[in-house]
Amino acid sequence: MLTPPAYALVATDLDGTLLRPDDTVSARSRAALARAAAAGARHLIVTGRPVPGIRALLADLAYTGLVVCGQGTQLYEAGSGRLLRSAPLDREAADTALGKIEAEVGAVFAAVDQDGVDGVTLIEAGYRMPNPTLPAQRVASRAALWARPVIKVLVRHPDLGDDELTAAARAAVGELATVTMAGPGTVELAPRGVDKGTGLAAAAELLEIGAERTIAFGDMPNDLPMFAGSGYRVAMGNAHPELRAAADEVTLSNAEDGVAVVLERLFGTQDAPDSGAARRAGP
């Protein structure tokens, strides 16, 4: 295993990873990230949330660096408030993809994240936000979802589980979009070929940090492309089985500050709680 300062980039997912179940970053995690920064490592947030859904959190963390948002569709510079890159999803293709999914599994409920730093999340009738803390606006019809450019579509089914819906959507959508499972009740369609891995690669290129010097933390299958572009991969204790299988290490859950546990071991800490509960799967 690489040792610090070989890890120059700490890439973390948010929901289910850095964020505790109450949507906050603990004092322990903040201290561990500060310790990593003091050792020369950069922190890169890589999240499925669009820019508007994380600005308050970034301000709370005093985070001013790059952020990969919207499953890799947006590269945002927090300090300047600028959107450096964006990859909108073709709206006609997205509407066609939803139709193909419904032809296979029956009616689904959809939502979209609009592009831009001030884009909003629109939800059609019947769609229930998996995270009630994130704002959304209800629209009267599916056609209204496509009023402005969007970066991704969120899909829910009244009966199918997430794994079953993800598999069915991939089979139905084909080349129209990238399908991923981002969390409980969160199956998403993004532009074809765009994911957290492409977003991480774009940010790492700007930071001039190679994949072998990146350590990544995640919890869901949408983090697999980020894992593929990292030198060391850490799954949370609450992670989906697919991500656990791809990890070099499984740490504690997000409720138990699993990110901090690993960072404390790598970058050191003072009076840190015992981290022996984390399991190493790698060398």
Side-chain angles (χ1 to χ4, degrees), residues 107-239:
V108 298
F109 305 120
V112 299
D113 287 330
Q114 292 181 335
D115 195 13
V117 296
D118 295 314
V120 299
T121 298
L122 302 179
I123 59 176
E124 67 179 2
Y127 187 90
R128 179 171 55 85
M129 289 290 289
N131 188 332
T133 68
L134 297 179
Q137 296 179 13
R138 192 170 299 279
V139 295
S141 67
R142 179 166 294 177
L145 296 177
W146 318 122
R148 288 184 51 195
V150 303
I151 52 172
K152 58 190 177 76
V153 179
L154 300 85
V155 185
R156 300 194 71 149
H157 192 278
D159 302 310
L160 295 181
D162 297 329
D163 290 287
E164 190 175 0
L165 178 57
T166 300
R170 282 180 179 151
V173 167
E175 299 295 316
L176 288 172
T178 295
V179 180
T180 189
M181 186 199 309
T186 312
V187 176
E188 300 185 355
L189 312 180
R192 186 68 182 172
V194 176
D195 53 38
K196 284 191 175 185
T198 60
L200 170 61
E205 181 180 8
L206 289 178
L207 296 172
E208 299 183 337
I209 298 174
E212 73 282 355
R213 302 182 67 203
T214 300
I215 179 170
F217 296 81
D219 73 308
M220 293 299 291
N222 66 321
D223 294 315
L224 286 169
M226 177 174 68
F227 271 22
S230 301
Y232 195 73
R233 300 154 288 273
V234 182
M236 307 304 292
N238 50 288

Side-chain angles (χ1 to χ4, degrees), residues 22 24 37 39 64 71 132 148 166 212-213 217 254 264 276 279:
D22 63 358
T24 64
T64 59
Q71 304 298 3
R148 288 184 51 195
T166 300
E212 73 282 355
R213 302 182 67 203
F217 296 81
N254 64 318
E264 287 165 357
R279 175 183 67 81

